[in-house]
Amino acid sequence: MTYKPLPNGVTIKPSKIHGLGLFAMAFLKPDTVIGTTHFDLTSEGLGLIRTPLGGFINHSKKPNAEL
């Protein structure tokens, strides 16, 4: 498996709302998968491991993306 922190067309930059945010640099079609936010390693005793992308998942009460 090849791991890529951010897909093409997506970047991290300062957010007007709070700190840094994840932003599309081009139109993303509905149902576009932009990446993996967490790996479930509970069977190895490690629990959920957040990826760098996972630090920027949408925490809005009205999100424009979903897990």
Side-chain angles (χ1 to χ4, degrees):
M1 177 171 101
T2 301
Y3 174 70
K4 187 175 177 191
L6 291 177
N8 293 333
V10 177
T11 191
I12 295 169
K13 64 181 185 178
S15 169
K16 293 178 184 176
I17 299 170
H18 185 265
L20 297 173
L22 192 63
F23 293 86
M25 302 302 290
F27 176 78
L28 299 176
K29 294 179 183 177
D31 297 326
T32 297
V33 176
I34 61 170
T36 301
T37 60
H38 293 77
F39 288 106
D40 186 354
L41 299 177
T42 52
S43 63
E44 289 83 11
L46 298 172
L48 288 176
I49 305 298
R50 186 174 71 188
T51 67
L53 179 62
F56 299 96
I57 59 172
N58 201 324
H59 293 89
S60 172
K61 290 180 182 175
K62 293 183 180 180
N64 61 3
E66 61 184 43
L67 295 176

